[in-house]
Amino acid sequence: MTVDSEMPPDRFSGNRTTHRMPRRQAPRRRAPLSCALAFAILAGSGCGTPEPAPASASTSVLDLVDSVVVLETDSLFVGRPVDVLVGPNGALFVADGAQARVLEIARDGRITRTFGRKGRGPAEFTAPSYLGMRGDSVLMVRDGALKRLQLIDLRSGEFVGSIATASGSGRFRAEGDDVYLAMLRADSGTALTRLAADGTERLEGALPAFVRESPMLLGPFPSEVFVFVDSTVYTLNELSASLLSWRRGTRDLQGVALPKVRRRGVSEDDYRTMLKDPAKAAAIAYNHSVPMLLERTASGYLAAVLYDVELVRDAFKGRFYITLIDLAQQRACVDIPLPAPEDPPARLAIVGDTIVSLEQDVGVGEGTVTTLKRYVLRGERCAWVALPAVDKAP
């Protein structure tokens, strides 16, 4: 059994789609997703609103250095962004799920190129989602429905090939000719798949023991992010409140619990309660944070972006928080709030010590406004707290 992890944060906002509206025409507000529909996968689930946790004291760690409105036209516009990636020249690439294409946006907000169109053939997408780079010139675009990665040569703008993937792969990274895919697999109890150039797979990492015993948890909690630091893989997923790691090519899992200021994952006891009493599933499930990004910054920290979900009057809202992890000094700067619209959620990327945020304001009168913001992380301003010692994970 392999569970599909192709579930960006839209699943918490009703898979809402931002449509391009004519100028000076008020856009139609999108209906929120009901709690019952969102948790159809958990039979008998009920709705509840968790109490908000206190905000972090680390509020001055982010400096806004740039804010640019994307220059959109009736044919060149951002529809429903699913993922963003900063290219080697500083341009932003946007996977647009509504228009089935990828946009290139210059730093001044101009949309300079588009790639792909709706379809199932070469140079076509059904559902472009996660983005990655091979080297400094090939853009890789994940299409979950077609189970493939499409490759675009940014020098020529041409599609130059595709790579078949399993249906359960979400975020990915390329190293040389190999592709590593985040994939929580119940059948093998692994967390990462390496896809070699010849098409062979190698599985590594591991899942906590209680997840291997209850693989149905992988359905409603599929998100996983990962990053390489030398010979070690670090991951965050929805099924653990810890930063997990293993030596590349192995399944020797270790973990360290992150300090908890706001919500940080669901405990093993909570999971067992959900399995025994599905009526409590919704209230428990929406009392945790979903990992969205994990990157190594230019300052040498791990930067984790988590999406803190709340159920408010049968509608879903979420806020982004950043946690910096200093592995060298075993400390963390926890839950730095990122100012961004709650609905639709921003799309984020990290490059160096900069966080790029693509935001959409679905207002009235002028229609949707898309803004590109850049923040710099200031680790020297952090309120650091010590991490516990690294323990062998169960």
Side-chain angles (χ1 to χ4, degrees), residues 140-393:
M140 307 178 74
V141 186
R142 163 101 171 109
D143 194 328
L146 296 182
K147 303 180 184 179
R148 69 184 183 187
L149 298 169
Q150 293 229 56
L151 281 60
I152 306 169
D153 189 327
L154 295 177
R155 295 166 297 190
S156 65
E158 300 294 326
F159 283 76
V160 293
S162 65
I163 300 173
T165 68
S167 62
S169 51
R171 290 201 174 274
F172 66 92
R173 294 180 183 272
E175 283 205 346
D177 292 332
D178 294 342
V179 178
Y180 291 82
L181 304 121
M183 188 185 300
L184 302 176
R185 298 182 60 148
D187 54 353
S188 58
T190 54
L192 196 69
T193 297
R194 171 194 162 191
L195 185 63
D198 60 4
T200 59
E201 289 186 350
R202 185 183 71 189
L203 307 179
E204 58 182 80
L207 301 177
F210 73 92
V211 178
R212 296 195 296 271
E213 297 167 2
S214 305
M216 68 183 67
L217 290 173
L218 296 184
F221 301 103
S223 296
E224 179 189 23
V225 292
F226 69 99
V227 69
F228 300 136
V229 179
D230 301 324
S231 61
T232 301
V233 182
Y234 290 92
T235 71
L236 287 171
N237 62 57
E238 288 188 76
L239 296 166
S240 175
S242 298
L243 176 71
L244 303 178
S245 66
W246 63 85
R247 291 188 64 83
R248 293 173 67 164
T250 75
R251 302 187 186 185
D252 187 19
L253 193 66
Q254 294 183 325
V256 55
L258 296 178
K260 185 174 181 179
V261 175
R262 288 185 60 86
R263 297 177 287 188
R264 177 71 75 239
V266 182
S267 71
E268 183 174 343
D269 288 341
D270 287 335
Y271 286 125
R272 298 195 186 283
T273 298
M274 293 171 67
L275 294 173
K276 293 178 180 178
D277 188 355
K280 299 178 180 179
I284 294 174
Y286 280 99
N287 191 29
H288 81 300
S289 301
V290 180
M292 301 307 302
L293 286 174
L294 184 63
E295 297 286 351
R296 193 179 190 186
T297 70
S299 300
Y301 309 130
L302 293 186
V305 178
L306 297 109
Y307 187 62
D308 200 3
V309 185
E310 281 189 88
L311 178 64
V312 181
R313 294 185 295 276
D314 291 344
F316 302 120
K317 294 184 177 181
R319 298 180 179 88
F320 290 100
Y321 291 86
I322 303 157
T323 290
L324 296 181
I325 305 164
D326 184 350
L327 295 173
Q329 299 191 45
Q330 286 295 292
R331 58 182 185 168
C333 181
V334 184
D335 293 345
I336 306 158
L338 176 68
E342 295 184 6
D343 182 29
R347 300 306 183 197
L348 307 173
I350 299 175
V351 56
D353 287 327
T354 300
I355 294 179
V356 179
S357 177
L358 184 77
E359 304 174 3
Q360 290 187 305
D361 181 9
V362 186
V364 295
E366 291 296 322
T368 301
V369 176
T370 305
T371 305
L372 182 60
K373 296 181 181 179
R374 290 178 173 85
Y375 300 85
V376 173
L377 286 162
R378 304 294 187 186
E380 68 276 8
R381 302 177 185 169
C382 278
W384 295 98
V385 295
L387 289 173
V390 175
D391 294 322
K392 189 81 170 182

